[in-house]
Every structure is written in C-alpha cells, then in structure tokens.
Amino acid sequence: MRGGRGKPAAGRDAGIGFGVGAYLLWGLFPAFFGLLSFASAGEVLAQRILWTLLVALILLVVAGRLRELRRIDARTWRLAAVASLALSLNWGTYVYGVISEQVVECALGYFINPLVTVAFGVLIFRERLRRLQWVALGLGASAVVVLTVDYGRPPWIALILACSFATYGLVKKVIRLDALPGLAAEGIAAAPFALIAVIVFGVTGHATFGSSGSHTALLMVTGPVTLVPLLLFALAAPRVPLSTMGILQYLTPALQLTWGVVVGHEPMPASRWAGFALIWVALAVFTVDALRRSRRGHPVVADAVVTE
C-alpha cells in the first residue's frame, strides 16, 4: 500500500503486534513470578506495588506528564483507591497462585473473567442480555459447578481473580485517567499500606528483600515487568478494534494453562478438562455473539486488559 491508504492498515498491524506482545508477556508471568517463591505472596505484592509506582513516576517525569497527577480531583482519587484495592487483591491472589503452584487455577480465573464481567453488568447495571449471552453464562456457571466437584471445593483462586479484575474493569470504565497516570494514581493510593507491610516484614524478620543480591534484584524487577505489557497494551488499544482485543486476550490464560500443565506438571484429570471445555464453549459462544454484533455496527464492549 502507498500513501495515506496504507496508514490505517499499518497502524492496525502495529497495534495487533503490540497487543500480541502484551498478552504473550502476561501469559509468561508464571515463568517470572515462579522465581519469587523464596518470598511470601504478601511481600511480593508490597514490593511490586512500590516498584511499579516508582517506575511509573519515573516515566511520567521523563514524559513531562507528572503534573497530570496534580490535576486529579477528589472523586477520581476515590475511584483510584477503589481500583487500587481491586488490583491489589488481584495481584496478591495471582502471586499466591503461582508460587503455590496453582497456575492452572489462575488461568481459569482469566478464562472466566469476561463472563463474570457480563454477570456484573446484569447485577449492577441491570443490563439486558441477549440469548447467546445467557447461554454463555449458563455454560460458565455449569463449568464452575463441575470444577467445584473436581477440586472438592470452589475454585477460590480463579473466582477471586475473575471477580477482582471484573471490579477493576468496572471502575476503569468510569475513571478518566490514561493508563500510566492511572496506574501511578492507583499506586499512590496503595503505597502507604505497601510501605507498612514492608516495614512489618522487616521488623518481624520475614523480609527477603536485602537478604541476597538475587532476591533483591528479582523483587525490584517486578516494577518494570508489570509496566512493560501495560504500555504495550496502551499502544495497542487505540489501534485495534475492541472485538479483536477481546479475542487476543485469551492468549494469556491459554499460555498460563499450558505452563501449568506442561512445565508445572499440575494434575489435570478428565473432570477438570471437562470443566475447562465448558468454559471454552461458553467463551466461543460469547465471542461469536460479540463478533456478530460488531459486524452489524453495534458497539462491542471488551474488557481486554489483564493485570496479574
């Protein structure tokens, strides 16, 4: 393509590349966070919050955008605090799942997240669902029942991940902040609690930060590791249709499931595969319905962000 005609297609192709990169990196998070098994999930969460905030603030300074934080009004700060609480719960649960070698259940959480988001829309905003969306929700609920029987308990890690991120997504729909300032604001809201946690871990002798060079470096790296895929996603989102991003997001739990089964050798009995199969059928129905709506010119809402 030449001239102006090629620019939209080129931008879309670049956006898809950024999106694939973001979801691939998120999908490989078990490989990184598995290295942090020397620390508790609470310490990893506290360190991750602080180092992510530091990197975000540095990037805002470099970009000359730090003043944007000063313009945030009280209502937006309150929303940022709620988003921060949901995100911290999500991050902490995910880290716990990875270091306790329950990556498969973490993957399940991100497979069912779109269905939980739709369910929240019905319960909170009284949204009316189409027939295929009801079918997808029914299949998803059936899958949770099957997996509860399989595990001998509700899949709490998956449910907490899905519900916390769905809550985070709802808040992000109404908060008016770009990705980087938004993440910085959420980090500022959580920083006092993270600092208290770091101090408590240190005073009680349970801190691993500073115990060795490798442990300290790995905990510090949680900041850039968290921000890089988020920045790639921020580059992809305005260039790629939401329906496409909604499909791309399944790369992350698919990779995590593969990691848990192939690398982590986590058990996958037939009953567990049956539960996952129901989830995949539900997502297929959900995606087909969304794509049909998109082609007819109706708006499609896709929560295509993963923030482990």
Side-chain angles (χ1 to χ4, degrees):
M1 296 183 183
R2 297 180 180 178
R5 294 183 180 180
K7 291 181 181 180
R12 185 170 59 250
D13 291 343
I16 291 175
F18 291 135
V20 169
Y23 289 119
L24 285 177
L25 288 176
W26 278 320
L28 293 174
F29 266 18
F32 172 74
F33 285 101
L35 299 175
L36 303 178
S37 58
F38 58 82
S40 67
E43 183 183 12
V44 174
L45 173 61
Q47 294 285 347
R48 186 182 185 185
I49 289 171
L50 295 175
W51 290 110
T52 301
L53 172 59
L54 178 61
V55 176
L57 291 175
I58 291 173
L59 291 177
L60 285 173
V61 170
V62 172
R65 301 179 61 189
L66 189 62
R67 66 185 65 182
E68 293 181 27
L69 295 178
R70 302 173 188 169
R71 301 172 185 162
I72 298 177
D73 56 43
R75 176 181 178 274
T76 303
W77 276 116
R78 288 193 294 270
L79 289 172
V82 175
S84 177
L85 178 61
L87 188 58
S88 297
L89 179 59
N90 185 274
W91 281 3
T93 303
Y94 182 80
V95 171
Y96 168 77
V98 171
I99 64 179
S100 62
E101 299 181 348
Q102 300 180 77
V103 176
V104 168
E105 193 171 340
C106 290
L108 173 64
Y110 290 107
F111 273 126
I112 67 176
N113 174 68
L115 302 177
V116 173
T117 299
V118 171
F120 276 16
V122 174
L123 296 173
I124 298 174
F125 298 111
R126 305 297 181 185
E127 294 179 357
R128 298 181 62 182
L129 299 185
R130 298 179 296 278
R131 183 179 304 174
L132 286 180
Q133 289 179 315
W134 280 115
V135 171
L137 284 180
L139 289 169
S142 300
V144 171
V145 172
V146 170
L147 290 166
T148 297
V149 173
D150 171 72
Y151 280 109
R153 58 169 176 79
W156 291 117
I157 291 176
L159 292 174
I160 292 172
L161 286 175
C163 291
S164 61
F165 187 65
T167 301
Y168 181 73
L170 290 176
V171 178
K172 297 295 279 186
K173 288 181 186 300
V174 296
I175 193 170
R176 295 181 179 180
L177 287 174
D178 291 340
L180 192 56
L183 194 63
E186 292 155 16
I188 290 171
F193 304 98
L195 279 172
I196 291 172
V198 168
I199 293 170
V200 170
F201 281 118
V203 171
T204 58
H206 293 97
T208 59
F209 184 83
S211 61
S212 72
S214 60
H215 289 177
T216 301
L218 283 170
L219 288 171
M220 291 174 65
V221 170
T222 56
V225 163
T226 297
L227 273 178
V228 167
L230 281 172
L231 294 176
L232 288 174
F233 175 84
L235 291 171
R239 294 175 171 86
V240 181
L242 283 175
S243 56
T244 302
M245 294 298 285
I247 294 172
L248 287 178
Q249 72 175 323
Y250 299 132
L251 281 172
T252 293
L255 284 171
Q256 293 178 352
L257 174 62
T258 302
W259 182 274
V261 174
V262 176
V263 180
H265 304 291
E266 296 181 27
M268 282 294 289
S271 55
R272 199 162 300 173
W273 281 116
F276 271 86
L278 283 171
I279 291 292
W280 294 331
V281 173
L283 290 175
V285 171
F286 180 79
T287 303
V288 167
D289 178 69
L291 289 175
R292 286 172 57 185
R293 294 275 296 176
S294 177
R295 289 170 182 170
R296 291 174 183 172
H298 297 287
V300 177
V301 177
D303 289 303
V305 186
V306 180
T307 51
E308 293 89 347

